[in-house]
Each structure stands twice: as structure tokens, then as C-alpha cells.
């Protein structure tokens, strides 16, 4: 049962930012449930928090748990535990010394607005099966990893509290703030963002390919984006090249699942041995294809040459050539030349023969008719393969 009011001391900002002041403090993980409402969420957010149990978010929770385990070992370099709560309702503010401030508030008037997945992970590791339902895990689960759980219980968590001393903040304001934090974090969770601008083996691999095929001569590869816009000079981006490589080595399933973490393993489709064997043939194919489409690029074409879906489809074409047919360097070069001679403008009449393309409402340009990205890539790859 939460106390009606609690007091907490920390370093507070002297001015507001937006409608809130901030107070930064540290508390032990086990005390999170005493100072904040972690077992209930506003009705308006119930649907949002249900998605935390999706496979994708559960994968993130598991990754956070692994990071916590490594942090408790005091060996690995891992991010410190931190989260942000917003307060609404009446708050009493009392200066203590210097910029230290003590605030008194009702913990039921708090809402986690940032670090929600970390909160999930911590609560589960402490023995709660669901951090927003006050339901203890089974006795067997509680007894497991008891040493780890005890260490986490006393682990310091950095807490940022957003509050207003003017009593003008409502629960709806806190919900709106949560949504703003969520939107801000969307880019962090974007596909492939975890490897962009990194030195992961697959990054180094695609950069080497880009250098060998002189990709800069054709517009270059954007290293900091997961998609291109028509206003950019780049012909492709690093994320697309990574997925192209995944498609070459592993086919549609591995490309679709972004199996980046498996690249460089000692065995399997994404082993370094397979990657090294395929690299020169990838370069021969792409080099010939780029040379073939160069006149279209010089004419300022903004057709499918710049489409990430097309580049990924080319990866699937190469998968058939390199992995399934074990094509030679000369055969890969010839295939690139043939596909490089195609017209990649969206109005090209030959797209009528492609099962996943159809005319748009204007009747002038062709568009994706498959209803999905994966189906479009596979269908486009099948069409291109028929041209060889």
C-alpha cells in the first residue's frame, strides 16, 4: 500500500523548462514502488502499455535485463539505470541547502514518462511478474537468481522527477508528456539504428563494398539514415546496403528479420567465410549495374534507382546467383550489365510485366501493388531474375 505522501530530496533546476522543473536524485531499485506508481497506468495509456508485451518490446526488455546483469557484475561498460517520472496534483516544495530541494507529493500522482522498458525489466527481476499489476511472481521464480535480485534491490537508480510547484499540472498533462518522450525516442528504436555509424563487422563490410565499387561516383552512401529522400544526393544509405548484404547471404527471411547480430558468426549463412567469398561477386554485379544506370542518374532520374526496396531486391537476385547457383565473377558482372540496361523510371512500360507493380491513379506511373514491403521485394526480385 503506497503512503498518501512521500518526501524525496534532490538537485533541482532553478527555472522551468516548458511547464516543469526537474529534480534529479538517486534511489535504490527496491524503493521505486514506494516513491512512484509502478503498478497502475491511466486508462488512456492502458492500450499503449499492452504493446510492451509484444515480441519486439519483450526482446528489448530481455536486452535491458542482460545489460543489468552485466552492470551488476561491475565488469562491463553498460548504461547506468535511469528513468523519468512526471508528477501532477499538489506538490510541496521545500528548499534545504544550496540547490537541494525536498518535494512532498502523492506517489499515486506519478507517471513513468521515460525509461518505461527499464522499469519493466527492473520490476520483473525484483520478483514482480508484471510491473503494472501488483502480482508477485511464483515462489520458484523468486527463488531463482536470489543473489542477483538482492544486488539489484540495493542498486542505485538515477531518477529525474518533472514537477510544477504551481499545482497546475494534471494527469492529462503527464500523459501528453509521456507521448512526447515516446515520439522523441522513436528514432532510437528505428530498424538498424543500433548499427548505424558503428564499427560492427557488417558496417565495415558494406563500407568496403562501397569503396570498391566507387559508390561515391554515383551519389554515395548516406551513413546516417535508414531511408533516402528525393532531395538528397545519395543513391542509397548504409542501412539499405546492410539489408542488401543480408539478402545476398541469407535470402529473404534473414533480410526481412535484419539478422545483423548473426553476421560474422563462425558458422551459418552469415559467416565471415561466406561473406568474404561473396564480396567480390557482389562488387562485380553492383559495379556493372551502376555503370549501366549511370546515364539515368546523369539525367537526374529519381526513379527506382534510389529505392531501398529495389536495392534490397537486387540483394535477393544476387542470393540466387551467388548462393544458389554459385555464379562466377564473369556471370555476376554479366547479370549486373543486363539489369543495368533496364529503364528504372516509374513510367517505364516494362513494369507492366511485373506482378507486384500496377499503374497509379494517374495512369502514368507504376507503383507497388503487393500491399507490403517484403512481398514487393520478393516479387521485384523474381521479375528481375526473369530478365537474366
Amino acid at each position: 500500500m503506497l503512503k498518501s505522501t512521500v518526501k524525496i530530496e534532490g538537485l533541482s533546476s532553478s527555472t522551468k523548462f516548458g511547464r516543469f522543473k526537474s529534480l534529479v536524485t538517486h534511489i535504490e531499485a527496491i524503493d521505486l514502488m514506494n516513491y512512484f506508481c509502478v503498478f497502475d497506468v491511466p486508462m488512456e495509456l492502458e492500450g499503449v502499455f499492452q504493446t510492451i508485451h509484444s515480441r519486439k518490446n519483450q526482446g528489448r526488455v530481455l536486452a535491458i535485463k542482460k545489460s543489468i546483469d552485466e552492470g551488476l557484475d561491475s565488469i562491463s561498460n553498460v548504461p547506468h539505470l535511469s528513468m523519468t517520472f512526471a508528477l501532477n496534483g499538489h506538490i510541496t516544495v521545500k528548499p534545504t541547502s544550496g540547490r537541494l530541494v525536498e518535494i512532498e507529493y502523492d506517489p499515486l500522482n506519478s507517471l513513468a514518462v521515460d525509461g518505461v522498458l527499464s522499469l519493466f525489466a527492473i520490476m520483473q527481476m525484483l520478483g514482480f511478474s508484471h510491473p503494472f499489476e501488483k502480482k508477485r511472481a511464483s515462489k520458484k521464480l523468486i527463488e531463482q537468481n536470489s543473489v542477483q535480485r538482492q544486488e539489484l534491490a540495493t542498486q542505485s537508480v538515477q531518477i529525474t522527477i518533472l514537477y510544477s510547484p504551481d499545482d497546475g499540472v494534471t494527469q492529462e498533462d503527464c500523459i501528453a508528456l509521456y507521448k512526447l518522450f515516446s515520439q522523441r525516442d522513436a528514432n532510437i528504436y528505428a530498424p538498424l539504428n543500433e548499427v548505424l555509424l558503428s564499427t560492427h563487422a557488417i558496417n565495415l563490410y558494406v563500407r568496403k563494398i562501397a569503396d570498391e565499387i566507387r559508390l561515391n561516383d554515383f551519389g554515395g552512401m548516406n551513413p546516417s539514415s535508414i531511408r533516402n529522400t528525393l532531395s538528397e544526393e545519395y543513391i542509397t544509405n548504409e542501412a539499405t546496403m546492410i539489408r542488401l548484404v543480408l539478402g545476398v547471404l541469407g535470402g529473404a527471411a534473414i533480410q526481412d528479420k535484419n539478422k545483423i547480430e548473426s553476421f560474422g558468426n563462425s558458422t551459418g549463412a552469415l559467416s565471415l567465410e561466406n561473406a568474404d567469398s561473396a564480396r567480390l561477386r557482389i562488387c562485380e554485379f553492383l559495379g556493372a549495374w551502376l555503370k549501366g544506370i549511370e546515364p539515368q542518374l546523369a539525367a537526374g532520374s529519381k526513379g527506382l534507382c534510389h529505392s531501398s526496396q529495389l536495392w534490397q531486391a537486387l540483394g535477393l537476385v544476387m542470393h540466387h546467383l551467388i548462393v544458389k547457383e554459385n555464379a562466377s565473377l564473369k556471370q555476376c558482372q554479366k547479370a549486373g550489365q543486363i539489369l543495368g540496361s533496364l529503364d528504372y523510371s516509374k513510367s517505364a512500360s516494362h513494369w507492366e510485366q511485373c506482378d507486384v507493380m500496377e499503374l497509379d491513379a494517374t495512369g502514368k506511373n507504376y507503383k507497388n501493388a503487393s500491399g507490403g514491403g517484403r512481398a514487393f521485394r520478393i516479387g521485384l526480385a523474381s521479375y528481375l531474375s526473369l530478365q537474366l
Side-chain angles (χ1 to χ4, degrees):
M1 185 74 180
L2 285 173
K3 297 179 180 179
S4 58
T5 62
V6 293
K7 296 179 181 179
I8 196 167
E9 185 180 69
L11 184 65
S12 179
S13 58
S14 58
T15 58
K16 285 185 177 181
F17 188 75
R19 297 186 61 191
F20 293 88
K21 284 189 173 184
S22 64
L23 181 144
V24 179
T25 189
H26 288 79
I27 66 173
E28 293 184 348
I30 195 64
D31 281 332
L32 285 170
M33 61 191 72
N34 296 325
Y35 284 94
F36 305 104
C37 185
V38 299
F39 300 119
D40 297 288
V41 294
M43 182 178 62
E44 296 90 335
L45 290 180
E46 286 180 357
V48 174
F49 283 99
Q50 285 175 359
T51 65
I52 293 179
H53 294 290
S54 69
R55 181 181 301 176
K56 188 172 184 179
N57 280 320
Q58 281 302 300
R60 294 172 182 162
V61 171
L62 288 174
I64 293 171
K65 288 181 178 180
K66 180 180 178 182
S67 176
I68 292 173
D69 284 338
E70 293 174 351
L72 293 175
D73 288 339
S74 300
I75 297 176
S76 304
N77 292 322
V78 296
H80 277 237
L81 298 174
S82 64
M83 56 195 65
T84 301
F85 292 86
L87 305 180
N88 64 84
H90 177 71
I91 299 165
T92 302
V93 181
K94 177 183 176 183
T96 54
S97 63
R99 291 179 62 186
L100 290 177
V101 167
E102 179 186 83
I103 59 175
E104 184 175 0
Y105 61 94
D106 184 342
L108 289 176
N109 291 338
S110 64
L111 175 67
V113 295
D114 196 27
V116 174
L117 292 183
S118 294
L119 181 59
F120 258 78
I122 291 171
M123 289 294 104
Q124 288 180 358
M125 292 176 73
L126 288 176
F128 290 91
S129 59
H130 189 310
F132 296 101
E133 292 178 8
K134 199 165 187 180
K135 178 182 177 183
R136 287 284 184 181
S138 66
K139 182 178 179 181
K140 181 178 178 181
L141 182 61
I142 291 174
E143 291 174 349
Q144 291 176 347
N145 302 320
S146 60
V147 174
Q148 173 209 62
R149 195 176 69 257
Q150 292 170 18
E151 290 179 353
L152 176 59
T154 58
Q155 181 64 38
S156 178
V157 181
Q158 179 177 305
I159 302 295
T160 299
I161 299 175
L162 303 178
Y163 70 98
S164 173
D166 302 327
D167 293 348
V169 174
T170 65
Q171 186 181 72
E172 287 70 28
D173 293 322
C174 292
I175 293 172
L177 192 61
Y178 165 82
K179 293 178 180 178
L180 290 173
F181 270 98
S182 180
Q183 291 167 4
R184 184 199 66 180
D185 286 344
N187 288 333
I188 295 173
Y189 296 130
L192 298 176
N193 245 28
E194 63 271 22
V195 297
L196 293 181
L197 298 176
S198 76
T199 55
H200 189 283
I202 199 167
N203 295 80
L204 301 179
Y205 184 83
V206 300
R207 291 168 193 172
K208 188 170 185 177
I209 290 175
D211 288 341
E212 291 184 357
I213 63 177
R214 302 177 66 86
L215 196 55
N216 282 339
D217 293 346
F218 302 92
M221 178 177 70
N222 189 343
S224 60
S225 175
I226 62 172
R227 59 173 57 88
N228 285 345
T229 63
L230 293 180
S231 62
E232 293 178 325
E233 63 179 15
Y234 302 104
I235 189 173
T236 188
N237 55 66
E238 193 163 307
T240 295
M241 285 292 287
I242 288 172
R243 295 195 70 178
L244 177 146
V245 165
L246 293 175
V248 174
L249 300 178
I254 289 179
Q255 182 186 72
D256 189 50
K257 295 178 181 178
N258 289 330
K259 290 287 187 177
I260 299 163
E261 69 281 358
S262 299
F263 185 87
N265 285 352
S266 58
T267 60
L270 302 184
S271 68
L272 285 180
E273 181 181 359
N274 287 344
D276 289 340
S277 173
R279 183 175 54 79
L280 290 180
R281 287 178 285 178
I282 293 173
C283 290
E284 286 293 333
F285 178 97
L286 287 178
W289 180 75
L290 286 166
K291 188 174 181 180
I293 67 169
E294 189 170 14
Q296 298 180 56
L297 298 176
S301 171
K302 291 297 184 180
L304 292 179
C305 294
H306 293 79
S307 166
S308 64
Q309 299 282 34
L310 173 68
W311 282 73
Q312 291 172 57
L314 290 175
L316 299 181
V317 172
M318 284 186 275
H319 176 71
H320 185 80
L321 286 170
I322 296 171
V323 176
K324 293 188 175 182
E325 296 189 350
N326 195 28
S328 65
L329 289 173
K330 187 173 182 179
Q331 289 171 322
C332 289
Q333 181 187 55
K334 181 64 175 177
Q337 289 173 344
I338 293 172
L339 295 187
S341 66
L342 292 178
D343 182 357
Y344 287 93
S345 64
K346 294 179 180 179
S347 59
S349 59
H350 70 87
W351 294 127
E352 182 182 3
Q353 307 302 317
C354 179
D355 291 340
V356 291
M357 299 280 269
E358 66 180 2
L359 284 170
D360 62 13
T362 68
K364 297 179 179 179
N365 294 320
Y366 284 88
K367 66 175 185 176
N368 180 357
S370 69
R374 185 177 191 273
F376 183 57
R377 291 191 295 272
I378 293 174
L380 192 55
S382 296
Y383 171 72
L384 294 174
S385 293
L386 290 175
Q387 313 309 306
L388 301 178

